[in-house]
Amino acid sequence: MLKLFEHETLDVQNLSEEETAIRVEKLNLQFGQKHVLHNISMRIPKNRITSLIGQSGCGKSTLISCFNRMNDLAPDCRYDGSIFIGGRDINRRKENVSQLRTQVGMVFQRPNPFPMSIYDNVCYGLRLQGIRVRRYLDDAVEQSLKDAALWEEVKDRLFESAHILSGGQQQRLVIARALALKPDILLLDEPTSALDPLTTLFIEELMASLKKRCTIVIVTHNMQQAARVSDYTAFLHQGKLIEYADSDTLFTMPEHKQTEDYITGRYG
Amino acid sequence: MIKTRIEAIMNPAQRQSFVISFTAFLSTLLLLALVSVLALIIYRGVAYFWPAPVYSLTFVDDQTEQAKAVYARVFSEFHDQGDAVRLVVYSSSDAPHGTQALIDEDRILTLVESVNSADITLNDGLSVLGVPVQIRASDNVRYSEQAYASVAEKVSSIEQQIEDIRTRWLSAIHQKLSELDVRGVAMDAPAREKLNDAFRQWQNKIIKLEDQRDNYTLKIAMADGTTLSVPVASIEEIVFPGQLGVWGKVGVTFGHIGQFLIQSPKQANTAGGVFPALFGTVMMVFIMTIIVTPFGVLAAVYLNEYAPDNLLTAIIRISVSNMAGVPSIVYGVFGLGFFVYVVGGNIDALFFADTLPAPTLGTPGLFWAAMTMAILTLPVVIVATEEGLRRVPNGLRAGSYALGATKAETILHTVLPMASPGIMTGVILAIARAAGEVAPLMLVGAVKFAPNLPLDTEFPYMHLDRQFMHLGVLIYDGAFHSQTDAEGASMMFATCLLLLLVVLVLNILAVLLRARLRKRYLTN
Ligand SMILES: Nc1ncnc2c1ncn2[C@@H]1O[C@H](COP(=O)(O)OP(=O)(O)OP(=O)(O)O)[C@@H](O)[C@H]1O
Ligand SMILES: [Mg+2]
């Protein structure tokens, strides 16, 4: 199987603390009466790409939203268990959620650039932190757009509306917007599902190149994509973590019957 | 029953085309009604500025039963129990400033347009119809346009001198005198004497200049051969409608429109201009907009973004939409009872107790009027803003939160800018409503005549406690003159036209602004 970057394979079941970016322990989550995540425990390795796969509605989005507490926005959401990022439990009540979200960036399924200029989009997070120095912002915009492989295409129209960009460009702009905050972790929720194959490939390459700088967790419905880009893959079924291993193992020799059924397409 | 009958005579295709033509007919009717209202107002409004012809008229006077020759303006002809009757305004030697009369057609002996006679408008808004014959200065000169122009120039230069003395010298001396008063200088101090002397000297100068000015008079011949002398200084304009071509009349019309916009009303709102009312209307609308927008937006943000989804919120929402349907006079009563008496009265008792019982804020005024209109238009702004907020995609909110924004930051930086076209829609509707309301304003500060503008050079420049004039009130006032006063009635139409234009201009401004915002915050 083609890999863009080769490196030693870790055993995700026995990761050391230094190798762990996110440690989830006994996470349970409910929306009202609906139990969505059941007792999930896992360690997500640093500077690697980990993908979450599973049937629609199994709780993938909900799980990655736990990593930056986006679920807090749903009024009837309750959860327990712990999630350790950078050595502290982010599920604590007094966690500074705004700060956490600058540390853990998120990109959504549909590109959602703000109705502002490209420049202002990238600066949004920095400005929220009170950064107003023009030189610093200019540099940050250039660097983030370069990191997101968008600079060459937009450098002459930074002050035009972000809505003139194509879907793929918009998605890269949204990634640049998240990267501007220099996050440790980047959460991508089906980032390519609205894009054509070529643009998808482009974003996949981008992810591979970002691996050096941050930990990436990606939700995808595309088995090939998961196998292609991710180092590790977790399979979720009805809110339970069924199998979690390095992608080569999971896609070639799955341990569980459910996993095999899903990756060979016997589930929907 | 009717339905079965229709079915009996028409097949489905016919029925459909019948429905279409019926609705088309109704829409046409509606459009016609709208157009005819507009046409009437535009026609009568513009006619007020158009130089109407002066007729020379002889008729048999009802009282003396003798023929009477006058110059007149003829307004309309109508039938009173079978007799044709004309409404005329004429100048005669015993009443040069115009008498309004209804004259039976069969009492009119002659009625021809007079080329020589002029419509002479005086500074106080009255007008005289007659033939200018002679200008009296040091010597008598036959009337001609050039002669009049040169005399008028002399008169205005004298007036300029008087004005100069008043502003440069008299007011300076006045100020010094009052400074002496403040310092408590004795009444017979030499400094005071000196100033008083100077004052008297300048005053004598003014009297002399005024005499000199009043030496210039215009002799006007009336239709019956008598003449009338009018000081040139009191004449505003002389127009010969009979000698003007179409373009000349158009020019005069524009001149009148200009005067209408910059002058104050004269003769109990039946002549002159409407500037104070125009100013009052626009200022009231502006202040109202400044008050209502933040309140409406904050209320909508609370309802849409913060309020829990429960019964209380639902009740608040329903009340807000119902508030839009409350008759406006009720708001007027509320404004008078609450803002003026309770709020204003208490402010007076607390801060202006030394001037009581004369009220300072406890009396109808511009600010209370703007507040009342703000309450009246608040529901419109809230509903439109909520609509705008609801249209902001949740994906954008999530995007903002994901970058570390708090709820308040998300609302401020993302949600509100995107809802701004909706907010503007609300403001447009509020402006349109506020500019057109009259009834509540009459209770809380709009008056038929206000001596001072709410904005002037006197500290604190903006006098929000003052009563103000309003175009709508002027129209209301004009409607009562319309039975008796031909010109006042026309002025009502002209004011109507102006009010429509004001609303139109305010709306166009707001719509343009909204279009810009829409373009800017367009989402894909
Ligand atoms: N805000 C919410 N309130 C109530 N239920 C929710 C909420 N968000 C998600 N759910 C429910 O939680 C379950 C998991 O949803 P989630 O969005 O995590 O699924 P998913 O695995 O991401 O699916 P997909 O692949 O279709 O995106 C679903 O049954 C969904 O109906
Ligand atoms: Mg999902």
Side-chain angles (χ1 to χ4, degrees):
Chain A
M1 216 159 273
L2 171 95
K3 269 277 149 58
L4 293 160
F5 284 85
E6 287 297 340
H7 42 70
E8 59 161 332
T9 306
L10 305 164
D11 178 5
V12 283
Q13 308 306 333
N14 296 306
L15 281 184
S16 70
E17 280 306 319
E18 299 89 78
E19 292 163 335
T20 309
I22 305 170
R23 176 154 64 90
V24 184
E25 258 166 33
K26 299 204 180 86
L27 180 69
N28 280 285
L29 186 142
Q30 278 175 284
F31 284 117
Q33 290 306 308
K34 194 170 167 30
H35 208 145
V36 176
L37 296 178
H38 296 268
N39 211 24
I40 293 191
S41 297
M42 68 192 293
R43 284 165 180 254
I44 293 175
K46 247 183 207 157
N47 292 78
R48 299 290 145 84
I49 300 176
T50 305
S51 55
L52 298 181
I53 59 171
Q55 227 178 325
S56 185
C58 69
K60 306 178 296 290
S61 299
T62 309
L63 179 58
I64 66 163
S65 299
C66 287
F67 301 157
N68 67 350
R69 299 248 318 238
M70 285 295 275
N71 286 322
D72 290 13
L73 299 180
D76 56 348
C77 172
R78 283 181 295 123
Y79 48 84
D80 54 46
S82 320
I83 298 173
F84 290 92
I85 292 178
R88 64 176 199 281
D89 181 5
I90 63 160
N91 277 359
R92 287 170 316 149
R93 185 153 277 168
K94 53 182 188 204
E95 172 69 24
N96 182 339
V97 180
S98 291
Q99 203 200 324
L100 170 72
R101 287 178 188 155
T102 64
Q103 229 178 320
V104 183
M106 189 171 204
V107 171
F108 301 84
Q109 179 171 358
R110 296 200 146 270
N112 57 352
F114 301 124
M116 311 167 181
S117 69
I118 295 169
Y119 184 95
D120 289 338
N121 259 282
V122 181
C123 289
Y124 193 88
L126 294 173
R127 287 200 172 125
L128 286 175
Q129 296 183 355
I131 297 168
R132 291 275 182 280
V133 184
R134 188 69 196 214
R135 284 248 324 269
Y136 183 89
L137 290 178
D138 286 347
D139 290 347
V141 168
E142 181 171 347
Q143 194 52 48
S144 316
L145 287 171
K146 277 181 176 158
D147 289 345
L150 189 61
W151 175 251
E152 287 305 319
E153 288 156 72
V154 300
K155 65 181 176 197
D156 299 325
R157 42 178 183 169
L158 287 176
F159 296 98
E160 283 171 47
S161 167
H163 288 297
I164 60 169
L165 299 177
S166 73
Q169 288 173 326
Q170 289 188 359
Q171 197 62 302
R172 275 178 282 152
L173 175 65
V174 174
I175 293 174
R177 190 169 77 181
L179 289 178
L181 293 170
K182 302 208 185 319
D184 303 326
I185 299 167
L186 195 58
L187 309 171
L188 305 170
D189 191 353
E190 302 183 43
T192 59
S193 64
L195 304 178
D196 68 285
L198 212 66
T199 319
T200 302
L201 207 66
F202 211 92
I203 299 226
E204 285 173 7
E205 282 171 20
L206 177 63
M207 283 192 284
S209 69
L210 288 174
K211 201 151 73 159
K212 283 170 277 165
R213 297 186 26 197
C214 52
T215 306
I216 294 176
V217 183
I218 173 174
V219 171
T220 179
H221 278 283
N222 183 333
M223 274 347 114
Q224 282 81 21
Q225 185 173 54
R228 226 172 18 233
V229 300
S230 65
D231 304 302
Y232 303 93
T233 300
F235 172 63
L236 254 65
H237 183 66
Q238 293 182 346
K240 297 191 185 79
L241 181 64
I242 304 296
E243 190 163 348
Y244 179 33
D246 63 281
S247 303
D248 285 345
T249 316
L250 191 127
F251 284 106
T252 48
M253 310 174 279
E255 250 176 53
H256 292 77
K257 177 87 173 53
Q258 281 168 321
T259 318
E260 191 179 340
D261 286 349
Y262 182 71
I263 60 178
T264 52
R266 253 166 275 171
Y267 282 127
Chain B
M1 198 195 103
I2 290 173
K3 201 178 163 211
T4 49
R5 201 179 282 169
I6 289 174
E7 270 166 17
I9 55 173
M10 281 191 271
N11 64 33
Q14 279 176 326
R15 226 178 299 151
Q16 197 189 351
S17 72
F18 171 76
V19 169
I20 291 172
S21 35
F22 187 66
T23 45
F25 171 71
L26 282 184
S27 339
T28 317
L29 217 65
L30 222 77
L31 206 68
L32 260 167
L34 196 72
V35 168
S36 49
V37 168
L38 270 181
L40 175 78
I41 288 173
I42 291 175
Y43 172 72
R44 295 288 307 261
V46 173
Y48 177 65
F49 303 112
W50 189 258
V54 178
Y55 291 90
S56 89
L57 165 74
T58 37
F59 66 100
V60 183
D61 193 353
D62 279 345
Q63 277 145 23
T64 57
E65 290 297 334
Q66 273 166 7
K68 191 167 179 177
V70 293
Y71 290 119
R73 283 200 278 157
V74 179
F75 281 91
S76 54
E77 181 180 8
F78 52 91
H79 296 270
D80 183 21
Q81 294 166 355
D83 298 337
V85 178
R86 277 177 191 270
L87 175 64
V88 300
V89 175
Y90 63 82
S91 287
S92 60
S93 49
D94 43 333
H97 299 313
T99 309
Q100 184 165 287
L102 289 170
I103 300 176
D104 275 5
E105 192 76 60
D106 45 15
R107 285 181 166 264
I108 292 178
L109 303 176
T110 57
L111 179 66
V112 284
E113 197 176 331
S114 159
V115 178
N116 290 329
S117 57
D119 185 349
I120 301 159
T121 313
L122 305 181
N123 285 334
D124 56 7
L126 297 172
S127 69
V128 178
L129 302 176
V131 183
V133 283
Q134 203 175 54
I135 300 167
R136 212 194 74 196
S138 43
D139 50 349
N140 292 345
V141 193
R142 232 176 70 91
Y143 177 87
S144 73
E145 229 162 283
Q146 292 91 333
Y148 177 75
S150 78
V151 168
E153 203 173 308
K154 275 182 209 151
V155 168
S156 74
S157 93
I158 294 173
E159 287 200 315
Q160 190 57 48
Q161 286 175 39
I162 296 175
E163 192 53 35
D164 273 358
I165 293 174
R166 286 227 166 91
T167 52
R168 285 250 299 282
W169 303 108
L170 288 188
S171 62
I173 293 173
H174 223 81
Q175 194 158 357
K176 276 185 197 147
L177 276 172
S178 54
E179 271 168 28
L180 292 183
D181 280 347
V182 172
R183 295 217 310 261
V185 175
M187 271 330 218
D188 49 0
R192 224 180 248 277
E193 287 291 309
K194 229 164 134 190
L195 284 172
N196 278 334
D197 273 351
F199 197 86
R200 237 167 279 131
Q201 261 170 28
W202 285 117
Q203 240 169 358
N204 286 337
K205 184 112 201 254
I206 287 181
I207 291 169
K208 233 184 255 161
L209 282 170
E210 276 175 348
D211 280 346
Q212 200 182 333
R213 178 194 70 186
D214 292 341
N215 264 337
Y216 294 100
T217 55
L218 178 68
K219 203 194 252 177
I220 303 165
M222 310 306 279
D224 57 4
T226 56
T227 59
L228 172 78
S229 269
V230 179
V232 172
S234 73
I235 296 175
E236 186 177 297
E237 188 191 28
I238 301 178
V239 178
F240 292 90
Q243 295 173 13
L244 287 172
V246 173
W247 288 114
K249 286 188 180 178
V250 170
V252 171
T253 303
F254 276 105
H256 285 169
I257 291 176
Q259 293 298 316
F260 184 70
L261 292 178
I262 61 173
Q263 283 188 348
S264 293
K266 296 164 183 172
Q267 300 299 324
N269 297 348
T270 60
V274 293
F275 177 71
L278 178 61
F279 190 85
T281 308
V282 173
M283 192 155 163
M284 192 276 293
V285 169
F286 268 123
I287 296 173
M288 177 227 57
T289 311
I290 291 168
I291 298 170
V292 76
T293 311
F295 275 95
V297 170
L298 284 179
V301 165
Y302 173 74
L303 281 179
N304 203 57
E305 307 284 325
Y306 288 99
D309 221 356
N310 58 20
L311 187 68
L312 185 67
T313 313
I315 291 175
I316 293 177
R317 271 217 182 90
I318 291 170
S319 331
V320 166
S321 358
N322 279 335
M323 261 170 74
V326 173
S328 57
I329 190 73
V330 175
Y331 286 101
V333 171
F334 171 78
L336 184 68
F338 182 70
F339 289 135
V340 177
Y341 293 154
V342 176
V343 181
N346 280 314
I347 292 176
D348 276 0
L350 283 174
F351 300 107
F352 302 102
D354 43 337
T355 58
L356 281 175
T360 311
L361 282 170
T363 168
L366 179 59
F367 185 67
W368 298 137
M371 283 292 277
T372 307
M373 294 316 272
I375 299 262
L376 186 139
T377 53
L378 193 60
V380 181
V381 177
I382 293 179
V383 169
T385 306
E386 260 209 278
E387 189 59 38
L389 291 174
R390 237 174 273 134
R391 285 217 190 118
V392 178
N394 277 328
L396 283 184
R397 283 173 221 227
S400 174
Y401 286 123
L403 290 169
T406 60
K407 184 161 193 168
E409 285 167 340
T410 300
I411 290 173
L412 197 66
H413 297 305
T414 302
V415 178
L416 276 184
M418 288 209 62
S420 55
I423 297 173
M424 278 314 296
T425 307
V427 172
I428 293 170
L429 293 172
I431 286 176
R433 176 118 201 246
E437 280 296 347
V438 182
L441 289 178
M442 306 231 286
L443 301 185
V444 289
V447 286
K448 288 185 193 175
F449 177 72
N452 295 312
L453 286 181
L455 195 70
D456 60 20
T457 54
E458 195 181 307
F459 185 80
Y461 312 119
M462 189 112 102
H463 305 275
L464 296 184
D465 54 324
R466 281 188 186 163
Q467 297 193 323
F468 65 104
M469 293 181 70
H470 187 275
L471 288 173
V473 177
L474 220 56
I475 294 169
Y476 172 82
D477 195 25
F480 286 102
H481 291 301
S482 67
Q483 290 298 310
T484 53
D485 186 340
E487 286 181 65
S490 310
M491 180 155 156
M492 171 184 81
F493 286 106
T495 315
C496 251
L497 186 59
L498 182 62
L499 181 59
L500 282 182
L501 286 177
V502 168
V503 175
L504 192 72
V505 167
L506 289 174
N507 271 329
I508 287 175
L509 281 180
V511 168
L512 287 180
L513 192 62
R514 181 176 61 179
R516 274 190 52 172
L517 291 172
R518 274 223 179 113
K519 211 170 133 199
R520 190 148 157 222
Y521 296 112
L522 192 77
T523 43
N524 43 350

